[in-house]
Amino acid sequence: MKTISLSGVKRNAIGKKDTLALRREGKVPCVLYGGKEHVQFSAIEKDFKTIIYTPDVHVVKLDVGGKQADAILKDIQYHPITDNIMHVDFLEVLPDKPVVMDIPVKFIGTAAGVKEGGKMLKKLTKVRLKGLISKIPSTIDINVEALKIGDYVKIKDINYDGVTLLHEPGVTIVSVKVTREVVETPVAAAAAPAAAAPAAAAAAPAKDAKKEEKKK
């Protein structure tokens, strides 16, 4: 999994007044938990851009006053009007302690069923996993090229060594469904010859009537 660095400053004063002062300075109050102790610190808001505003997941290498820790982002609070970051929670990850993460699904290729006129439905864009951080992949890669109309990929079809998928096995991740156009086209083609037969039958008496008229 990719890593990204973030530096912070340990907070000595904890309270509403201190929190407001930090935000006015463009800083975000943060907490790191999951290790031996909770660490209250602040970080510059703009430094979160590469961590938050991306579909990728990362291990965040925190440096707080010279003390380093590996962590993952667990919770973010935003201001309801300005969307500024109000608070961030980090969970410290340890080599021997499993963690739970939501990992993005990456769909590879174009499904055969889509080329036939079907539609691919992406039911899950993220999959929740549990495992050691060293075992958790950056993305769940699913090659959809072989999927025909009516085919699907379920949770039970995904397997990564050392991790547990925290969904029911029968949950669908992606499927290829028939579209209205695909259904209607064969019906229209079959209906055309059937409609032509009565028309031809109706035209035959008309031609015979014209021949009789000419004889007279």
Side-chain angles (χ1 to χ4, degrees):
M1 184 177 295
K2 297 178 181 178
T3 61
I4 194 165
S5 299
L6 179 70
S7 296
V9 177
K10 191 171 182 179
R11 295 176 63 186
N12 295 318
I14 307 296
K16 186 175 181 180
K17 184 177 180 180
D18 180 69
T19 297
L20 291 173
L22 286 173
R23 290 172 180 155
R24 283 195 294 268
E25 296 171 1
K27 297 177 182 178
V28 179
C30 306
V31 61
L32 171 67
Y33 62 91
K36 293 181 179 180
E37 61 177 344
H38 279 43
V39 179
Q40 302 278 352
F41 67 100
S42 65
I44 299 174
E45 185 173 7
K46 66 179 182 180
D47 290 346
F48 283 89
K49 183 177 181 180
T50 54
I51 299 175
I52 296 175
Y53 304 110
T54 172
D56 300 327
V57 293
H58 304 89
V59 172
V60 182
K61 288 193 171 294
L62 290 175
D63 186 322
V64 180
K67 293 185 178 180
Q68 298 182 344
D70 290 340
I72 56 174
L73 199 64
K74 290 301 290 184
D75 187 54
I76 309 170
Q77 296 176 21
Y78 296 95
H79 191 280
I81 298 175
T82 65
D83 282 335
N84 289 338
I85 302 171
M86 301 292 288
H87 194 275
V88 177
D89 290 356
F90 289 96
L91 173 66
E92 185 173 355
V93 293
L94 304 173
D96 58 348
K97 188 175 180 179
V99 294
V100 175
M101 296 186 70
D102 292 328
I103 304 301
V105 179
K106 182 179 180 181
F107 300 100
I108 301 171
T110 301
V114 172
K115 295 178 181 178
E116 296 168 358
K119 182 179 181 180
M120 190 169 79
L121 302 178
K122 301 174 183 178
K123 299 296 185 69
L124 292 180
T125 57
K126 290 185 177 181
V127 172
R128 181 160 292 188
L129 307 178
K130 181 179 181 180
L132 298 179
I133 194 65
S134 60
K135 295 291 186 179
I136 293 180
S138 298
T139 58
I140 301 296
D141 296 337
I142 299 178
N143 192 319
V144 299
E145 292 180 346
L147 296 183
K148 297 180 180 180
I149 292 176
D151 290 344
Y152 49 77
V153 176
K154 295 180 178 290
I155 288 292
K156 64 183 179 181
D157 301 317
I158 304 301
N159 183 34
Y160 281 85
D161 291 337
V163 299
T164 302
L165 281 69
L166 303 180
H167 299 266
E168 291 296 326
V171 171
T172 299
I173 300 174
V174 60
S175 64
V176 180
K177 298 294 185 181
V178 66
T179 61
R180 184 174 179 179
E181 289 77 7
V182 174
V183 173
E184 289 183 344
T185 300
V187 173
K207 290 181 180 179
D208 291 342
K210 288 182 180 179
K211 290 181 179 178
E212 291 296 328
E213 193 68 31
K214 288 181 179 179
K215 288 181 181 179
K216 293 180 181 180

